[in-house]
Amino acid sequence: MTLLRVLIFLIVFQCYSQKLGQSCQEDMIPSFDKPTRTYGYRNLFGEWKVPAAYTKVYPFVGNKAIVMKGSKLGVINCDGYLIVDAIYDDFAVFNLNKVWAKKDGLWGFINDKGGIIIKPSFNEIKKISPQGDYVWIKKGDFWGIFSEKSLNFVAKPIFQAYTRVSNEVSLVQLNDSLGVIDHETGAFLIPPKITNAEKISAKNFAIQLNGKWGLLNEHAQQITPIEYDSIALMTPSVVLAKKDGHYGLLNTQGKIITPIAYDQIRAFYEGQASLSIKGKWGTVHQTGRIIIEPQYESLARFKKSLAIAKLNGKYGLVDYLNKIVVPFSYDALNIDYKNTFYSGLKNGKYSFLGLKGEKLNELEADSIYYGDSTDFVRIKTTEGIKFYNLNTKSYLFASAYESASAFTNGVSTVTLNNKFGIVNTKGDKIVEVIYDSITYDNLAGNLIFITTTNKKIGVISHTGKPMLATEYDLISNCDQRFLKCKKENFYGILKNNGEPYVPFEYDFLSNKNQNPLWPSFPTVFLKGKKTGFINFNGEEIYSTNGSITFIGEGLYLLTNKNKKQILKPDGQALALEIDDAEGFSEKLCAVQQDGKYGYITVTGNWAIKPLYEEAGNFIDKLAVVKLNGKYGVVDKVGKWIIKADYDSTEINKSKRFLIKESIKYQILSSGRLNRL
């Protein structure tokens, strides 16, 4: 029984017990008996009131408590007698003297004496409200609403899915459409003709009918006309609506607070959003009131009460109330990423401005890198790129470079004459400016520099001391403790201090540079016709003919001529005969056996038996499969979410599609299809 169910049981049953005045005569405290390693209940004097005989016990609520015997649950009374035998796997919440109980994977309805009201026959049950009489029940693949009071279905189990909107109504899926159903009567408040639905706020949701959107409240009452091209939540209280190509704002009660008349409305920042009409920009408050009438050629979002605006081709700064803080006299105006200063361009030169628009100094530059920290701002001058401290209003050091990266971990990569080097914030050359390229890495908690000259690679420490000579063809960090290297066509492993660990005698060793998703150990090796594993201790622990590929979750695919096996990290093969295996996704791997695909778990057990001609990766707990020449979607236990009725499938980045009769449908994470 899950902790959440136990807590709900306790809270709700406490309400009922207080209402009915039911409770035991003295406190019954769950207690553990060390000699027998079992649980029972004692009173405050430490006396056993219910002898220890259970695997686990839960606190009494009123005059009942849930207990576990072995792996099964039952209910006892204050005298310690089992009033519901310990034969159940789970309980829902008692509704007065009745409760849903799970046995052998199915739910039934019993009374508080264990008497069966409805035999276990339902796959899932979900109480609509803890103290209510209505329950969503799943029978087979379909959901319906059941009344605990009348012991009858209010709505027969015909729905593929549901989402509870409130205690009164739910959104339901019937075939490929959505509708809204009343819990008490089972009647449709909105027939199943809805194409899409989106939650807008805690008490509102949007629906799409016949290509148009509208808002409904939690009772499924329409609060706007179904007439908008799109609806999206902008803030917890403001909705962006589009109609006939124009945008406006609604509140979450459906009232229009900004007319549907604007060409664009951007996101809110500091309580205001930029909006445009006929190419002119202004701002609107989240109450819907226009603060700045549209008049600017461009208007950036507000940052620290100021916004960059463009008027008559020039840039300046305005405040919330449209007061001009910096005159419109700049050819360009930018604010740094941390919102600490502005850089302005005038007469071909950049200067620094403060957050109130004041000029910070007389420095002029060809460009200013406004993404930098105020302590290390890169500026471009006629000499080259230099570093400037805006706080002290001085250069960090005199040297200038052709290019320079922003300071990271106290160092910058610089170039001169197309060669690379490293300097610190004092201008000291940690690495001389003589290399073709330099990259950073971290080894044993310290920064290192990987240098390249004439296609050969070396390593220099964070202090500037050479660690590895520039003579390697590949250097790959391995768990910060080792370096996997290639030298003179052979691979080996060095310790992080440069000492030999695995000799340079291998044709290949798996490494993060060439195999970024593979584990560091075991390392897959290739030596002549042999392949195998090297463990963390640098020892060969497995060797065979063929090739080895990592497929995820610590498992590998061995291909030896026409035979394939799945290997564990120690080289032991799973007891599973296969034709082929794809990579793991969401803990499952598509595996082919006897020409058909199924899915196995990380232990090599079948999660879904091999049935399919094709099987894709799981994304959002769903996979596209092919059966009898048609494509559909299954979940992680092989249940059909979308029947195999489609002609083909496509993948575009993380988006998946099914195609039927030249019509493309996007597969949503909910398992529904969105026709394009």
Side-chain angles (χ1 to χ4, degrees), residues 212 227-229 242-247 260:
K212 297 295 182 180
E227 64 181 15
Y228 297 105
D229 301 322
K242 181 182 180 183
K243 181 181 178 183
D244 299 330
H246 295 290
Y247 293 88
I260 315 294

Side-chain angles (χ1 to χ4, degrees), residues 25 49 99 132 138 173 230 276 332 335 391 437 501 562 588:
Q25 291 183 353
K49 304 305 293 182
V99 68
K138 190 175 188 182
Q173 180 184 353
S230 65
S276 73
I335 188 168
N391 300 309
S437 69
Y501 192 66
N562 294 324
L588 294 182

Side-chain angles (χ1 to χ4, degrees), residues 101-162:
K102 188 177 184 181
K103 184 180 179 184
D104 299 328
L106 295 173
W107 290 87
F109 204 39
I110 64 174
N111 63 28
D112 61 357
K113 301 293 190 296
I116 296 194
I117 301 171
I118 298 173
K119 292 181 180 179
S121 53
F122 302 115
N123 302 87
E124 293 183 53
I125 63 103
K126 302 286 184 183
K127 291 280 289 185
I128 290 173
S129 64
Q131 299 183 35
D133 294 324
Y134 298 101
V135 186
W136 274 107
I137 288 183
K138 190 175 188 182
K139 188 168 186 177
D141 293 334
F142 299 99
W143 291 91
I145 299 177
F146 188 85
S147 169
E148 295 177 351
K149 188 174 182 180
S150 67
L151 301 181
N152 289 310
F153 277 104
V154 173
K156 293 182 179 180
I158 59 173
F159 304 109
Q160 286 95 338
Y162 81 93

Side-chain angles (χ1 to χ4, degrees), residues 16-34:
Y16 283 123
S17 63
Q18 290 175 354
K19 180 178 178 181
L20 300 175
Q22 299 171 335
S23 62
C24 298
Q25 291 183 353
E26 55 185 323
D27 285 334
M28 307 282 274
I29 302 168
S31 303
F32 179 65
D33 182 48
K34 287 186 179 180

Side-chain angles (χ1 to χ4, degrees), residues 31 33 36-41 48 50-57 67-70:
S31 303
D33 182 48
T36 62
R37 301 192 64 79
T38 56
Y39 291 84
Y41 296 86
W48 286 103
V50 176
Y54 298 104
T55 313
K56 189 183 291 186
V57 297
V67 295
M68 179 180 286
K69 202 165 188 177

Side-chain angles (χ1 to χ4, degrees), residues 543-614:
S543 179
T544 186
N545 293 323
S547 63
I548 295 175
T549 303
F550 181 65
I551 58 175
E553 301 299 332
L555 297 178
Y556 298 79
L557 179 66
L558 169 65
T559 302
N560 189 354
K561 295 182 179 179
N562 294 324
K563 184 179 179 181
K564 297 192 177 185
Q565 291 179 294
I566 296 177
L567 302 179
K568 299 177 184 179
D570 59 1
Q572 295 294 314
L574 296 183
L576 186 69
E577 294 186 3
I578 65 170
D579 303 331
D580 203 358
E582 308 293 337
F584 273 87
S585 59
E586 298 186 1
K587 304 289 186 182
L588 294 182
C589 179
V591 169
Q592 187 183 43
Q593 186 184 72
D594 298 328
K596 298 291 185 181
Y597 281 93
Y599 294 89
I600 64 167
T601 65
V602 295
T603 60
N605 297 317
W606 288 106
I608 303 174
K609 297 288 185 182
L611 303 168
Y612 313 111
E613 293 108 62
E614 296 178 22

Side-chain angles (χ1 to χ4, degrees), residues 359-376:
K359 198 168 183 178
L360 295 179
N361 54 34
E362 297 304 317
L363 181 146
E364 292 186 337
D366 295 332
S367 64
I368 293 174
Y369 293 76
Y370 55 87
D372 292 351
S373 164
T374 54
D375 293 327
F376 317 110

